[in-house]
Amino acid sequence: MQDDQYIYRFISFYDLYQLCKKKKLRLSLLAVQEDMNEGMGAVLQLASPQWGSFFSNSDQIAGQHLQKLHNTYITCWSTEPDSVAMWALYSPNKDGIRIRSTVGRLKATLADYQEATSLWKHTNHIGGTELLTWHWELALVRYINLNIFIEEMNKAYTEFRTSCTESAKGNPEWWTAEDGYLTEAPIFAERFRKAFTMDYFLKNSSFSHENEIRGVVRAGIRNELDFEGWKRLDDPFRQLFKSAEPGVLPSFV
């Protein structure tokens, strides 16, 4: 996507008034979206090789999905300048308006918001429920048939497992050899990640008429760990940040 590419959004006159009055873009929590499959990409990501051993049952995965829904903000735009389907969906009473921006402007807006609310600017805010952010992304949505997508994931796993079994047949040292599994596994994991883990940018193919480009801001709240103590831990997996429980973060910002 080029920064000068035009993008469009269909909104009500009330939302336009709020946009002009407050002079800021409204972001919506993923949990308030009508599509019940929102965030499914983040859930499917848990099936990837690097996470599979940590999330092995449906309750764990459902819990992670709920966490993602209540700690992720999005703004949805379209690359399609005019669409009967979009007008019907977002202006059913024929009282809406289409606004235009560019990819570059949206990037700048998301970057500015994330910078202003960044966790690293609030390291001394121990505990509490203040909304803090740690990452933003902008990408085109990928539309998929979920059943086919899962079948392809399972097929990729099966083929890799079969390949490993064949390679190790009569040669058990292959599993620990530098030119064996230790090399093949990371290669497979990277290919799998690129092919199947689109995180927050997957939607059901029935929404393909939207031609959506989506901005995502990942949020949460500060935990109780002291910043100076955190620095002394020397542990890259220990965080200053935690996900908020459902209902803690506002639905719109």
Side-chain angles (χ1 to χ4, degrees):
M1 296 179 294
Q2 300 297 318
D3 282 355
D4 60 355
Q5 179 181 343
Y6 286 132
I7 53 176
Y8 307 89
R9 185 170 170 83
F10 299 81
I11 61 176
S12 68
F13 278 107
Y14 173 77
D15 286 337
L16 177 64
Y17 169 75
Q18 291 295 316
L19 180 64
C20 295
K21 180 181 179 181
K22 296 182 178 180
K23 298 187 183 302
K24 71 174 187 177
L25 182 67
R26 188 174 79 161
L27 302 175
S28 305
L29 202 61
L30 204 61
V32 304
Q33 306 305 309
E34 292 183 0
D35 181 8
M36 299 301 292
N37 287 321
E38 281 290 1
M40 65 179 177
V43 174
L44 291 174
Q45 181 169 285
L46 301 181
S48 62
Q50 61 266 46
W51 294 111
S53 61
F54 294 97
F55 301 99
S56 56
N57 64 62
S58 58
D59 288 340
Q60 287 178 309
I61 293 176
Q64 285 294 309
H65 185 216
L66 187 65
Q67 183 184 97
K68 301 287 187 183
L69 291 176
H70 289 274
N71 289 271
T72 306
Y73 288 91
I74 63 172
T75 177
C76 305
W77 296 70
S78 176
T79 59
E80 178 62 44
D82 207 8
S83 165
V84 172
M86 294 291 280
W87 281 115
L89 183 62
Y90 294 105
S91 183
N93 298 319
K94 298 180 174 57
D95 59 353
I97 191 169
R98 185 194 70 191
I99 60 175
R100 187 183 76 180
S101 188
T102 65
V103 168
R105 287 177 180 173
L106 184 53
K107 283 181 179 178
T109 298
L110 293 172
D112 287 347
Y113 177 74
Q114 198 274 316
E115 174 69 16
T117 57
S118 171
L119 159 69
W120 300 107
K121 284 193 171 183
H122 302 83
T123 54
N124 293 323
H125 294 199
I126 299 175
T129 59
E130 179 183 4
L131 187 157
L132 301 175
T133 61
W134 56 276
H135 184 66
W136 70 270
E137 298 175 79
L138 180 67
L140 291 167
V141 166
R142 177 181 173 188
Y143 299 96
I144 64 167
N145 180 304
L146 185 56
N147 291 329
I148 294 176
F149 193 75
I150 292 174
E151 287 178 4
E152 291 175 346
M153 288 176 63
N154 290 334
K155 180 182 178 182
Y157 263 130
T158 300
E159 289 178 348
F160 179 65
R161 188 182 300 113
T162 300
S163 173
C164 289
T165 301
E166 290 296 320
S167 297
K169 187 179 295 184
N171 180 25
E173 289 78 16
W174 181 85
W175 291 105
T176 55
E178 288 295 334
D179 59 347
Y181 179 77
L182 297 182
T183 295
E184 294 298 323
I187 293 174
F188 170 72
E190 180 62 15
R191 288 175 179 169
F192 188 95
R193 184 189 65 79
K194 289 181 178 179
F196 299 111
T197 55
M198 293 290 290
D199 218 354
Y200 300 97
F201 301 98
L202 285 181
K203 291 191 75 171
N204 191 287
S205 55
S206 61
F207 291 92
S208 60
H209 61 276
E210 295 179 346
N211 295 299
E212 183 181 338
I213 178 171
R214 172 175 292 192
V216 172
V217 178
R218 305 191 190 196
I221 57 177
R222 182 74 163 81
N223 63 21
E224 290 73 28
L225 186 61
D226 174 71
F227 182 52
E228 294 302 320
W230 172 79
K231 289 193 292 186
R232 290 193 296 270
L233 285 175
D234 192 28
D235 181 356
F237 293 103
R238 192 69 186 270
Q239 302 292 324
L240 283 168
F241 189 75
K242 66 180 180 180
S243 296
E245 293 296 320
V248 171
L249 297 182
S251 297
F252 304 97
V253 294

PDB file of all heavy atoms in Angstrom, residues 11-26 99:
ATOM      1  N   ILE A  11     -19.917   6.864   7.162  1.00  0.00           N
ATOM      2  CA  ILE A  11     -20.322   7.177   8.533  1.00  0.00           C
ATOM      3  C   ILE A  11     -21.603   8.003   8.532  1.00  0.00           C
ATOM      4  O   ILE A  11     -22.022   8.536   7.503  1.00  0.00           O
ATOM      5  CB  ILE A  11     -19.212   7.948   9.287  1.00  0.00           C
ATOM      6  CG1 ILE A  11     -18.916   9.278   8.591  1.00  0.00           C
ATOM      7  CG2 ILE A  11     -17.949   7.106   9.391  1.00  0.00           C
ATOM      8  CD1 ILE A  11     -17.906  10.147   9.336  1.00  0.00           C
ATOM      9  N   SER A  12     -22.203   8.125   9.713  1.00  0.00           N
ATOM     10  CA  SER A  12     -23.410   8.939   9.861  1.00  0.00           C
ATOM     11  C   SER A  12     -23.015  10.407  10.015  1.00  0.00           C
ATOM     12  O   SER A  12     -21.863  10.733  10.309  1.00  0.00           O
ATOM     13  CB  SER A  12     -24.199   8.491  11.091  1.00  0.00           C
ATOM     14  OG  SER A  12     -23.473   8.797  12.280  1.00  0.00           O
ATOM     15  N   PHE A  13     -24.001  11.304   9.849  1.00  0.00           N
ATOM     16  CA  PHE A  13     -23.732  12.725  10.046  1.00  0.00           C
ATOM     17  C   PHE A  13     -23.326  13.002  11.493  1.00  0.00           C
ATOM     18  O   PHE A  13     -22.511  13.884  11.765  1.00  0.00           O
ATOM     19  CB  PHE A  13     -24.966  13.558   9.674  1.00  0.00           C
ATOM     20  CG  PHE A  13     -25.092  13.800   8.202  1.00  0.00           C
ATOM     21  CD1 PHE A  13     -26.056  13.147   7.455  1.00  0.00           C
ATOM     22  CD2 PHE A  13     -24.232  14.677   7.553  1.00  0.00           C
ATOM     23  CE1 PHE A  13     -26.169  13.365   6.093  1.00  0.00           C
ATOM     24  CE2 PHE A  13     -24.336  14.904   6.191  1.00  0.00           C
ATOM     25  CZ  PHE A  13     -25.306  14.243   5.458  1.00  0.00           C
ATOM     26  N   TYR A  14     -23.894  12.228  12.426  1.00  0.00           N
ATOM     27  CA  TYR A  14     -23.539  12.414  13.834  1.00  0.00           C
ATOM     28  C   TYR A  14     -22.065  12.084  14.052  1.00  0.00           C
ATOM     29  O   TYR A  14     -21.344  12.827  14.729  1.00  0.00           O
ATOM     30  CB  TYR A  14     -24.405  11.524  14.723  1.00  0.00           C
ATOM     31  CG  TYR A  14     -23.979  11.542  16.172  1.00  0.00           C
ATOM     32  CD1 TYR A  14     -24.297  12.623  16.998  1.00  0.00           C
ATOM     33  CD2 TYR A  14     -23.231  10.491  16.709  1.00  0.00           C
ATOM     34  CE1 TYR A  14     -23.884  12.653  18.321  1.00  0.00           C
ATOM     35  CE2 TYR A  14     -22.819  10.512  18.029  1.00  0.00           C
ATOM     36  CZ  TYR A  14     -23.148  11.594  18.833  1.00  0.00           C
ATOM     37  OH  TYR A  14     -22.728  11.619  20.138  1.00  0.00           O
ATOM     38  N   ASP A  15     -21.613  10.965  13.474  1.00  0.00           N
ATOM     39  CA  ASP A  15     -20.204  10.594  13.617  1.00  0.00           C
ATOM     40  C   ASP A  15     -19.292  11.620  12.949  1.00  0.00           C
ATOM     41  O   ASP A  15     -18.193  11.904  13.439  1.00  0.00           O
ATOM     42  CB  ASP A  15     -19.957   9.209  13.022  1.00  0.00           C
ATOM     43  CG  ASP A  15     -20.516   8.097  13.891  1.00  0.00           C
ATOM     44  OD1 ASP A  15     -20.694   8.324  15.097  1.00  0.00           O
ATOM     45  OD2 ASP A  15     -20.778   6.999  13.356  1.00  0.00           O
ATOM     46  N   LEU A  16     -19.756  12.174  11.827  1.00  0.00           N
ATOM     47  CA  LEU A  16     -18.977  13.216  11.156  1.00  0.00           C
ATOM     48  C   LEU A  16     -18.868  14.449  12.046  1.00  0.00           C
ATOM     49  O   LEU A  16     -17.790  15.056  12.161  1.00  0.00           O
ATOM     50  CB  LEU A  16     -19.627  13.586   9.826  1.00  0.00           C
ATOM     51  CG  LEU A  16     -18.937  14.716   9.048  1.00  0.00           C
ATOM     52  CD1 LEU A  16     -17.531  14.302   8.631  1.00  0.00           C
ATOM     53  CD2 LEU A  16     -19.762  15.106   7.824  1.00  0.00           C
ATOM     54  N   TYR A  17     -19.968  14.808  12.693  1.00  0.00           N
ATOM     55  CA  TYR A  17     -19.965  15.952  13.607  1.00  0.00           C
ATOM     56  C   TYR A  17     -18.974  15.722  14.748  1.00  0.00           C
ATOM     57  O   TYR A  17     -18.186  16.609  15.094  1.00  0.00           O
ATOM     58  CB  TYR A  17     -21.370  16.170  14.160  1.00  0.00           C
ATOM     59  CG  TYR A  17     -21.428  17.158  15.310  1.00  0.00           C
ATOM     60  CD1 TYR A  17     -21.303  18.531  15.086  1.00  0.00           C
ATOM     61  CD2 TYR A  17     -21.589  16.712  16.623  1.00  0.00           C
ATOM     62  CE1 TYR A  17     -21.342  19.430  16.140  1.00  0.00           C
ATOM     63  CE2 TYR A  17     -21.628  17.600  17.678  1.00  0.00           C
ATOM     64  CZ  TYR A  17     -21.503  18.957  17.431  1.00  0.00           C
ATOM     65  OH  TYR A  17     -21.539  19.848  18.477  1.00  0.00           O
ATOM     66  N   GLN A  18     -19.004  14.524  15.328  1.00  0.00           N
ATOM     67  CA  GLN A  18     -18.093  14.200  16.413  1.00  0.00           C
ATOM     68  C   GLN A  18     -16.635  14.224  15.941  1.00  0.00           C
ATOM     69  O   GLN A  18     -15.741  14.685  16.656  1.00  0.00           O
ATOM     70  CB  GLN A  18     -18.428  12.819  16.981  1.00  0.00           C
ATOM     71  CG  GLN A  18     -19.749  12.744  17.733  1.00  0.00           C
ATOM     72  CD  GLN A  18     -19.731  13.594  18.996  1.00  0.00           C
ATOM     73  OE1 GLN A  18     -18.775  13.586  19.757  1.00  0.00           O
ATOM     74  NE2 GLN A  18     -20.802  14.344  19.208  1.00  0.00           N
ATOM     75  N   LEU A  19     -16.418  13.743  14.721  1.00  0.00           N
ATOM     76  CA  LEU A  19     -15.068  13.732  14.157  1.00  0.00           C
ATOM     77  C   LEU A  19     -14.541  15.153  13.991  1.00  0.00           C
ATOM     78  O   LEU A  19     -13.394  15.458  14.336  1.00  0.00           O
ATOM     79  CB  LEU A  19     -15.085  13.008  12.809  1.00  0.00           C
ATOM     80  CG  LEU A  19     -13.751  12.888  12.064  1.00  0.00           C
ATOM     81  CD1 LEU A  19     -12.773  12.032  12.857  1.00  0.00           C
ATOM     82  CD2 LEU A  19     -13.971  12.275  10.682  1.00  0.00           C
ATOM     83  N   CYS A  20     -15.396  16.031  13.478  1.00  0.00           N
ATOM     84  CA  CYS A  20     -14.982  17.421  13.263  1.00  0.00           C
ATOM     85  C   CYS A  20     -14.845  18.176  14.584  1.00  0.00           C
ATOM     86  O   CYS A  20     -13.928  18.984  14.762  1.00  0.00           O
ATOM     87  CB  CYS A  20     -15.986  18.131  12.359  1.00  0.00           C
ATOM     88  SG  CYS A  20     -16.063  17.474  10.683  1.00  0.00           S
ATOM     89  N   LYS A  21     -15.746  17.900  15.518  1.00  0.00           N
ATOM     90  CA  LYS A  21     -15.739  18.608  16.797  1.00  0.00           C
ATOM     91  C   LYS A  21     -14.537  18.215  17.649  1.00  0.00           C
ATOM     92  O   LYS A  21     -13.830  19.072  18.197  1.00  0.00           O
ATOM     93  CB  LYS A  21     -17.034  18.316  17.556  1.00  0.00           C
ATOM     94  CG  LYS A  21     -17.128  19.012  18.914  1.00  0.00           C
ATOM     95  CD  LYS A  21     -18.434  18.660  19.616  1.00  0.00           C
ATOM     96  CE  LYS A  21     -18.515  19.336  20.983  1.00  0.00           C
ATOM     97  NZ  LYS A  21     -19.776  18.978  21.689  1.00  0.00           N
ATOM     98  N   LYS A  22     -14.297  16.915  17.760  1.00  0.00           N
ATOM     99  CA  LYS A  22     -13.214  16.434  18.616  1.00  0.00           C
ATOM    100  C   LYS A  22     -11.875  16.367  17.893  1.00  0.00           C
ATOM    101  O   LYS A  22     -10.830  16.224  18.526  1.00  0.00           O
ATOM    102  CB  LYS A  22     -13.572  15.055  19.164  1.00  0.00           C
ATOM    103  CG  LYS A  22     -14.792  15.066  20.075  1.00  0.00           C
ATOM    104  CD  LYS A  22     -15.066  13.677  20.640  1.00  0.00           C
ATOM    105  CE  LYS A  22     -16.255  13.700  21.587  1.00  0.00           C
ATOM    106  NZ  LYS A  22     -16.537  12.355  22.160  1.00  0.00           N
ATOM    107  N   LYS A  23     -11.935  16.424  16.560  1.00  0.00           N
ATOM    108  CA  LYS A  23     -10.730  16.387  15.731  1.00  0.00           C
ATOM    109  C   LYS A  23      -9.851  15.173  16.049  1.00  0.00           C
ATOM    110  O   LYS A  23      -8.629  15.275  16.164  1.00  0.00           O
ATOM    111  CB  LYS A  23      -9.932  17.682  15.881  1.00  0.00           C
ATOM    112  CG  LYS A  23     -10.689  18.918  15.426  1.00  0.00           C
ATOM    113  CD  LYS A  23      -9.809  20.139  15.429  1.00  0.00           C
ATOM    114  CE  LYS A  23     -10.606  21.379  15.043  1.00  0.00           C
ATOM    115  NZ  LYS A  23     -11.247  21.268  13.729  1.00  0.00           N
ATOM    116  N   LYS A  24     -10.512  14.052  16.222  1.00  0.00           N
ATOM    117  CA  LYS A  24      -9.752  12.817  16.419  1.00  0.00           C
ATOM    118  C   LYS A  24     -10.546  11.630  15.896  1.00  0.00           C
ATOM    119  O   LYS A  24     -11.783  11.651  15.863  1.00  0.00           O
ATOM    120  CB  LYS A  24      -9.388  12.615  17.888  1.00  0.00           C
ATOM    121  CG  LYS A  24     -10.534  12.252  18.798  1.00  0.00           C
ATOM    122  CD  LYS A  24     -10.001  11.924  20.197  1.00  0.00           C
ATOM    123  CE  LYS A  24     -11.107  11.388  21.095  1.00  0.00           C
ATOM    124  NZ  LYS A  24     -10.598  11.001  22.428  1.00  0.00           N
ATOM    125  N   LEU A  25      -9.826  10.632  15.477  1.00  0.00           N
ATOM    126  CA  LEU A  25     -10.426   9.427  14.933  1.00  0.00           C
ATOM    127  C   LEU A  25     -10.954   8.551  16.062  1.00  0.00           C
ATOM    128  O   LEU A  25     -10.291   8.385  17.083  1.00  0.00           O
ATOM    129  CB  LEU A  25      -9.371   8.654  14.137  1.00  0.00           C
ATOM    130  CG  LEU A  25      -9.805   7.364  13.445  1.00  0.00           C
ATOM    131  CD1 LEU A  25     -10.789   7.678  12.330  1.00  0.00           C
ATOM    132  CD2 LEU A  25      -8.579   6.644  12.891  1.00  0.00           C
ATOM    133  N   ARG A  26     -12.157   8.006  15.883  1.00  0.00           N
ATOM    134  CA  ARG A  26     -12.713   7.117  16.894  1.00  0.00           C
ATOM    135  C   ARG A  26     -12.286   5.680  16.623  1.00  0.00           C
ATOM    136  O   ARG A  26     -12.415   5.179  15.512  1.00  0.00           O
ATOM    137  CB  ARG A  26     -14.238   7.202  16.919  1.00  0.00           C
ATOM    138  CG  ARG A  26     -14.840   6.427  18.092  1.00  0.00           C
ATOM    139  CD  ARG A  26     -16.326   6.624  18.213  1.00  0.00           C
ATOM    140  NE  ARG A  26     -17.064   5.822  17.258  1.00  0.00           N
ATOM    141  CZ  ARG A  26     -18.363   5.523  17.379  1.00  0.00           C
ATOM    142  NH1 ARG A  26     -19.056   5.994  18.412  1.00  0.00           N
ATOM    143  NH2 ARG A  26     -18.979   4.800  16.466  1.00  0.00           N
ATOM    144  N   ILE A  99     -16.440   9.683   3.741  1.00  0.00           N
ATOM    145  CA  ILE A  99     -15.274  10.544   3.907  1.00  0.00           C
ATOM    146  C   ILE A  99     -14.070   9.862   3.267  1.00  0.00           C
ATOM    147  O   ILE A  99     -14.046   8.645   3.100  1.00  0.00           O
ATOM    148  CB  ILE A  99     -14.990  10.866   5.388  1.00  0.00           C
ATOM    149  CG1 ILE A  99     -14.717   9.579   6.183  1.00  0.00           C
ATOM    150  CG2 ILE A  99     -16.144  11.640   5.994  1.00  0.00           C
ATOM    151  CD1 ILE A  99     -14.306   9.841   7.624  1.00  0.00           C
TER     152      ILE A  99
END
